[in-house]
Amino acid sequence: MPNTTTAPSVVVAFDETLPDFEPEPVSRRPVATTGLVNTFKALPVTLDRGDGSWVWDTEGRQYLDMYAGHAVASTGHSHPHVAGAIAAQARQLVFYSNVVGLEVRDRAAGKLLSYIAAPGGITRALFANSGAEAIENALKMAVRHTGRNRIVAFEGGFHGRTLLASNVTGTEKYRAQAPFNVDGIEILPFGDEEALRRAVDDRTAAILVEPVQSMAGCRMAAPSFYRALRDTATGNGALLVYDEIQTGIGRTGRMFFSGRDGVVPDLVCLAKGIGSGFPLSAVLVSETVADGIAYGEYGATYGAGPMAMAAMLATLEVIEQESLLANVADVGTYLERGLSAIPGVEAVQGIGFMLGVRTAVAAPALQAALLERGVIVGTSDDPHVIRLLPPLVLSRAEAGTFLHSLEESLGGRQ
Ligand SMILES: Cc1ncc(COP(=O)(O)O)c(C=O)c1O
């Protein structure tokens, strides 16, 4: 059974100033599996298994997972309903491509779309395998649908590492890694309505936005900015594309960010938590866009395969049956309040289970200190912001355990 250490009911505030806190950075082991290309700085942990909000390493050490493997383990680790559905589907039919019909595909797609139905809005889904692939497909749809070739995106947004996805990514570090520059892409300051109005015109195919910028430390814009995105897109005949690869499937306390502030985009990209960790992505499309798509224009061999569809259907069932949207809203608020009361926490940004926590401590050092205390968190592109992206099943008690560990790590409790 997962450890459910009782939460401190009140986060105690300390008067004394924070001691200097610069523990040695996490020792970066070479990747545990030899033979892999060295693309990620791995934490010095080799995991063995998981259950709910907890994971265990090969030495039996237990960690509270406030990161969910890059915001992926939406229903928690190895949820029995999801694991059972994947196993049952594997016994029934591991794979057949979309050259045939599949009942599980119809049921899963129907259920996904039932959460977003909006009058005259999104009614169809195109499935692929990764987030970057969803972005590529959505931008291709926008370009082909409008017959235009310009794309507007935003500073701080992250959209993936393929050629087009890295070009529309608004963080210099990742853009610089694109193999070459694609023409027609303009990156604007996030939240700047004036810059948006100036940049978008009748040559713009798509306005692409990550509504809560995760890599930037879970940054959000004012509600008027999202409405300006919709108005500017509509006014200029461009398509509004929401990258909901992290915000989608419950992470903000609603199934999608789309619909918030009265804004329904034309295209929605999903990945990460959609299959609880089974590789899957989707672009949700309005009827008008879908109608213009010809056979053969899009496709992915594995897209909408039976295993991925079974994983997605089970994920959506768990979210519904366990009232996980309400859980995210409730525990997210609890976390935000608790964080704000911890000495040393300078700001909390984001929403629901997408929270950036700013402190004076360098994020990698704080991450290392938390890992020492058995808690996994993420860093971000902001050197002083750690990211919390826990499984949607995280309970108040588990959130309390985290708050306690953070307070200890910041020197408030010894
Ligand atoms: C908001 C967002 N968009 C796109 C991507 C790219 O997804 P993938 O790594 O599955 O290609 C990511 C991945 O971190 C993401 O967070």
Side-chain angles (χ1 to χ4, degrees):
M1 281 299 289
N3 179 337
T4 49
T5 313
T6 315
S9 51
V10 180
V11 178
V12 181
F14 285 79
D15 291 331
E16 65 254 49
T17 46
L18 277 175
D20 281 348
F21 183 80
E22 283 290 333
E24 285 299 300
V26 179
S27 59
R28 304 293 189 187
R29 278 187 194 168
V31 276
T33 314
T34 51
L36 295 189
V37 174
N38 212 356
T39 52
F40 279 95
K41 283 183 184 166
L43 295 174
V45 171
T46 301
L47 285 189
D48 176 42
R49 67 189 175 91
D51 181 356
S53 307
W54 300 84
V55 288
W56 284 261
D57 69 14
T58 45
E59 284 151 31
R61 200 167 171 225
Q62 182 177 355
Y63 302 85
L64 177 59
D65 187 8
M66 297 296 289
Y67 194 56
H70 291 304
V72 170
S74 48
T75 51
H77 293 283
S78 298
H79 191 289
H81 184 63
V82 177
I86 292 171
Q89 184 61 52
R91 281 191 294 271
Q92 195 178 332
L93 179 70
V94 169
F95 186 71
Y96 214 98
S97 65
N98 42 28
V99 76
V100 300
L102 293 171
E103 277 185 3
V104 67
R105 182 186 296 139
D106 292 343
R107 274 190 286 133
K111 191 156 185 66
L112 178 67
L113 288 164
S114 73
Y115 295 107
I116 201 155
I122 286 161
T123 53
R124 311 254 199 107
L126 173 77
F127 292 103
N129 309 288
S130 69
E133 217 180 337
I135 296 291
E136 295 272 343
N137 284 336
L139 294 179
K140 179 172 164 182
M141 283 177 190
V143 166
R144 290 183 63 81
H145 180 79
T146 58
R148 305 170 177 182
N149 61 5
R150 290 185 178 230
I151 296 163
V152 161
F154 297 95
E155 288 169 6
F158 179 82
H159 302 290
R161 293 177 168 89
T162 56
L163 176 58
L164 188 52
S166 54
N167 267 275
V168 288
T169 283
T171 311
E172 214 27 64
K173 181 173 122 192
Y174 299 107
R175 274 172 68 72
Q177 290 166 354
F180 55 83
N181 292 341
V182 174
D183 286 343
I185 293 167
E186 193 169 356
I187 306 288
L188 306 178
F190 183 56
D192 186 336
E193 295 173 34
E194 268 316 303
L196 174 73
R197 289 193 191 96
R198 275 198 308 272
V200 176
D201 59 25
D202 61 6
R203 296 168 300 170
T204 311
I207 303 175
L208 170 67
V209 68
E210 185 189 359
V212 183
Q213 296 186 324
S214 182
M215 287 274 214
C218 302
R219 277 201 311 174
M220 284 178 78
S224 62
F225 179 67
Y226 302 101
R227 289 194 285 270
L229 291 172
R230 179 66 280 172
D231 293 346
T232 311
T234 307
N236 290 280
L239 297 188
L240 178 58
V241 184
Y242 266 18
D243 177 345
E244 291 227 49
I245 285 164
Q246 290 208 28
T247 55
I249 315 297
R251 187 153 289 284
T252 68
R254 297 186 186 187
M255 192 56 97
F256 303 110
F257 195 93
S258 304
R260 206 178 270 275
D261 304 313
V263 176
V264 179
D266 301 291
L267 299 165
V268 180
C269 299
L270 301 171
K272 303 268 189 203
I274 189 172
S276 292
F278 201 95
L280 174 65
S281 68
V283 185
L284 305 186
V285 193
S286 69
E287 197 70 23
T288 332
V289 175
D291 277 348
I293 293 174
Y295 285 119
E297 218 176 304
Y298 299 87
T301 301
Y302 295 123
M307 301 280 286
M309 292 291 101
M312 181 178 85
L313 183 58
T315 298
L316 296 172
E317 286 166 353
V318 170
I319 290 175
E320 214 167 272
Q321 284 157 14
E322 299 186 8
S323 306
L324 294 186
L325 302 183
N327 186 63
V328 172
D330 173 54
V331 181
T333 307
Y334 175 77
L335 264 176
E336 257 187 271
R337 289 201 185 124
L339 285 164
S340 306
I342 293 178
V345 170
E346 295 173 353
V348 182
Q349 43 205 44
I351 184 169
F353 279 6
M354 260 190 107
L355 296 175
V357 184
R358 179 180 300 285
T359 73
V361 181
L366 186 52
Q367 181 189 45
L370 282 161
L371 195 65
E372 282 300 309
R373 289 175 170 82
V375 179
I376 300 176
V377 299
T379 54
S380 72
D381 284 338
D382 187 318
H384 285 277
V385 173
I386 57 163
R387 270 185 303 165
L388 311 179
L389 303 162
L392 311 187
V393 296
L394 185 87
S395 67
R396 267 187 180 236
E398 289 164 341
T401 301
F402 165 72
L403 293 172
H404 188 78
S405 300
L406 180 67
E407 193 171 2
E408 275 184 354
S409 301
L410 288 171
R413 284 168 190 254
Q414 301 299 335

